[in-house]
């Protein structure tokens, strides 16, 4: 979960959106159910993850305890980190190592 807390907002938004698409639920339900409990003022009326603060997104993601869900989230952060390394310019040897890690 530490990687999630350090992730940029764009990554957090992507993870929350993917959790919605996959029908994933934490201990307070899915994203909209979580918002109803977590934010009594706005609730699910502001359900677009991109319009929420990183703290809101992290609070939702912290409700997940299923090991498979947590691994999925960590993999999404890892993939985004690797994509940033590639975007910044990686020598071919490092790139082949990254590709190998994702394949296996």
């Amino acid at each position: 979960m530490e990687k999630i807390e350090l992730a940029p907002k764009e990554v957090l938004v992507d993870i929350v959106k993917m959790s919605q698409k996959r029908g994933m639920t934490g201990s307070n339900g899915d994203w909209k159910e979580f918002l109803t409990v977590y934010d009594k003022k706005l609730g699910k009326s502001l359900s677009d993850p991109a319009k929420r603060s990183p703290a809101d997104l992290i609070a939702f993601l912290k409700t997940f305890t299923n090991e498979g869900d947590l691994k999925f989230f960590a993999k999404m952060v890892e993939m985004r980190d690797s994509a940033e390394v590639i975007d910044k310019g990686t020598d071919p040897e490092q790139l082949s190592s990254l590709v190998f890690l994702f394949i296996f």
Side-chain angles (χ1 to χ4, degrees):
M1 193 57 72
E2 182 179 310
K3 286 185 178 184
I4 297 268
E5 293 172 352
L6 300 175
K9 181 178 178 182
E10 307 83 53
V11 175
L12 298 171
V13 169
D14 289 345
I15 294 171
V16 171
K17 286 182 177 184
M18 186 59 69
S19 75
Q20 289 177 293
K21 288 179 185 176
R22 294 180 67 154
M24 299 168 76
T25 57
S27 59
N28 288 336
D30 65 16
W31 174 241
K32 289 184 179 180
E33 292 167 334
F34 166 79
L35 291 175
T36 301
V37 172
Y38 176 77
D39 186 348
K40 300 291 185 194
K41 185 176 180 185
L42 293 174
K44 63 183 180 180
S45 67
L46 182 60
S47 63
D48 182 354
K51 294 183 180 177
R52 289 290 186 154
S53 73
D56 294 343
L57 304 172
I58 291 168
F60 171 65
L61 296 172
K62 282 185 169 184
T63 68
F64 287 83
T65 56
N66 177 287
E67 191 67 30
D69 294 341
L70 298 176
K71 285 181 180 180
F72 176 73
F73 297 157
K75 193 68 165 175
M76 286 189 70
V77 172
E78 184 180 320
M79 288 174 56
R80 181 64 178 256
D81 289 346
S82 296
E84 287 178 8
V85 168
I86 292 168
D87 287 345
K88 291 179 183 176
T90 306
D91 70 44
E93 190 171 311
Q94 287 177 320
L95 183 58
S96 64
S97 297
L98 289 173
V99 171
F100 179 79
L101 288 173
F102 284 118
I103 293 173
F104 300 99

